[in-house]
Amino acid sequence: MRVFFVILICKLLHFIGKLIGKGSSLPGKIALRLDKNILKRIKLPEYIIAVTGSNGKTSTVEMIAHILREGGKTVAYNKEGSNQIEGVTTFILCGSTMFGRVKSDILLIESDERFAQHTFKYFSPTHYVITNLYRDQLTRNGHPEWVYDCLKNSIHEGTHLILNADDPLVSCFGYGRDDVTYFGADRLSVSHEENNSCYNDGAFCPNCKNRLSYEYYHYNHIGKYFCPRCGLKRNDTRYTATSVDLDAGEITINNDKTIKLALKSLYNVYNILAAYSVCSLSGISEDIIAKSISNYVLRNGRVISFSLGERHGTLLTSKHENSVSYDQSLTLAANDKECCDVVIIVDAVSRKYFTSDVSWLWDIDFELLANESVGEIILSGTYVNDLATRFSYTGIDQSKIKAISDITEMSEYLRTSSDRKIYVITCFSDKGKFLSLVKEEQP
Amino acid sequence: MKIKILHLYHDLMNLYGEYANISVLCRHLEDAGVEAELDRVSIGDDYSLSKYDFIYCGAGTERNLMVALSDFIRYKDDLKYYADSGKAALFTGNSFEMLGNNVFDREGKMLEGMALADFSAYQGGESYKAFIEANPEERSLADSDKRLTGDAVFTADFIDKPIVGFINKCGFIKGSFTPFLNVKYGLGNNNSEKTDGVRINNIMGTHLTGPLLVKNPPILSYVISLITGGELTEQKEYDSELLGYEVTVRELMKRFSAE
């Protein structure tokens, strides 16, 4: 079928879909059924940037798009979040002329890590950012090594890789390749010599399975490592966070450019580094990058301020089945100088599929909340008992912990239980249930 | 009473939260006045299996399983002796694949197993292709080579309550052996048998991953009775552990019976 008709149908379906509030993957699915090689026939722009990895994809892509636009480029990206081949097809075709030419200077794609191999069968990114590989949604993904193998199939010749040097498994993608740029962080004041998290996915070399040595860890298995047997090591970085001051909310890149942090977490620093690297490689000046990303507040609704009666709080959207994401949110709450109560809700494990598996709770370092600034810890949702069991195995004073299964009842309790600041840590699947009971505020 | 526990490959075979099996076991033993002494060992460590009253090994990645097996194989005779002595052990997730005759990895390479039971494990990939090519009539054992994940409800002849958990594996096992559990809902040892795991005396192997002793108070109490020779009649119970189990059973039964 002619490209013209496939694009027309895709655009029409997308238009209708938007009117009736349907997702964005169906038009692409139908387009692929009409012509499975449709993506091969589209004239793509000079820069095709793809971003994948376990965590931080959406935030990184949003920052890249923002920087590129500030740098005067036009950008098309899948902000509707459909990151498998159907959704990617929808957004590419909808961003094309009727004759099959992508209208923007730069095509920016957030790609699901297991499905990237299908998407990049039809075209390859010119710049491919891989942020990290963590234990993430293992009920679907298997484990990080399984995802690594899937992702490896999506990397082809002619693609420039932009890799997180501090993640040993991710750095393996660069093994034996020349066209690789690494980003990472130097030793920081928050770095430590022992791995303090509940598990260490950096215990063994991903390449030869000898025991891996670490000079320091930034968090979890992210840090400076080397393998005494095969020589795998943390590569030198071209884009480096040379200093990070989370209290002041400021980082320096390559001892030169200063960036203010709207979100004071190390996790966010890595997203910024990834965005900074790929934008610089795409020809945007580092002055413009640093200026446009400084104090940038993400619009993707991951951090939400709210009020509940007289109380104020922040909801930190974290990913269920992803302990690194939880650890980062817990760190953020525990490091707040102000006293706070922390609410944790696990009601539905996922919004996309059913599972009752709560194994991942045991990988989360809830011990981080054993901090004087944390007042009460309130657990809620269907899996409140599993949370309570998990907390009973921490050293946290059990009198600080309260379990209220029903989310409405919990929020009523919260309304008057104290006057401390509130942190709510939960997932996309559950945050709406809480937000419908409070008043959202501008941060 | 004092019980010595050995946690094998704690830092290599830990897909997610497996360590909690040991935490919950030690807590419940100590509640009952039993002193629990734990040793954690990994690659290259030397120890004497016969010193222990309980052995545990958790699930790992396919590659890590091969690394663990290459190391564990030097204990082949000791493990046979341990099994014959009637002492208890629990191998969860893919770790129990070590107990068979051999394991074929995703590149098609074969490693010799501990040979406590007559079966072979195929991790998929090249070994899957080779198996299907050599045994086209057995194609139904695994109808494709993909990640096999899903919630599960199992039953056991020795426990009157359902067993819940999660399967996260690839490939299948094939052979002639006594299984550990029966599959009510979810994935089994392979596509054509409704059984899970393997049992050799009091050595138990199951594909269930993660902290299954936390999720299943009935199995925990069964394991404790095996370890202590049935000497503990009273075991302390925790509301959150029991309620967590009931909620999971309820959610899974609701889900599976609707399918």
Side-chain angles (χ1 to χ4, degrees), chain A residues 253-398:
Chain A
I253 292 184
N254 293 349
N255 288 314
D256 183 23
K257 302 286 181 276
T258 302
I259 294 170
K260 295 248 180 230
L261 302 173
L263 182 60
K264 294 169 188 171
S265 80
L266 207 44
Y267 203 61
N268 183 34
V269 172
Y270 275 90
N271 295 341
I272 290 175
L273 271 171
Y276 191 104
S277 309
V278 72
C279 290
S280 168
L281 292 170
S282 307
I284 309 291
S285 89
E286 294 190 36
D287 282 325
I288 292 179
I289 299 174
K291 190 160 165 282
S292 55
I293 208 69
S294 204
N295 271 327
Y296 180 70
V297 179
L298 289 162
R299 284 167 227 286
N300 59 20
R302 301 285 167 99
V303 179
I304 300 163
S305 301
F306 65 86
S307 65
L308 177 61
E310 301 293 306
R311 302 185 71 178
H312 294 274
T314 305
L315 183 141
L316 303 168
T317 310
S318 314
K319 291 162 87 181
H320 288 344
E321 300 190 80
N322 188 310
S323 49
V324 177
S325 159
Y326 262 82
D327 284 359
Q328 290 290 318
S329 298
L330 293 167
T331 304
L332 204 69
N335 286 353
D336 196 321
K337 300 271 183 290
E338 238 181 280
C339 282
C340 61
D341 289 344
V342 178
V343 177
I344 295 164
I345 306 171
V346 182
D347 196 50
V349 175
S350 169
R351 60 178 167 169
K352 291 186 175 158
Y353 50 90
F354 173 83
T355 178
S356 199
D357 188 38
V358 288
S359 302
W360 50 278
L361 289 178
W362 295 87
D363 281 345
I364 300 171
D365 187 10
F366 287 111
E367 208 87 37
L368 288 164
L369 296 180
N371 193 329
E372 276 181 16
S373 69
V374 176
E376 201 171 22
I377 298 167
I378 300 124
L379 313 173
S380 191
T382 302
Y383 297 99
V384 68
N385 298 298
D386 302 275
L387 278 167
T389 299
R390 173 69 186 92
F391 270 90
S392 77
Y393 283 85
T394 63
I396 298 170
D397 176 4
Q398 295 296 305

Side-chain angles (χ1 to χ4, degrees), chain A residues 25 34 45 98 168 182 198 218-219 229 248 264 267 278 352 382-383:
Chain A
S25 63
L34 293 170
M98 295 309 294
Y182 291 95
C198 285
H218 296 308
Y219 61 87
R229 184 158 78 193
K264 294 169 188 171
Y267 203 61
V278 72
K352 291 186 175 158
T382 302
Y383 297 99

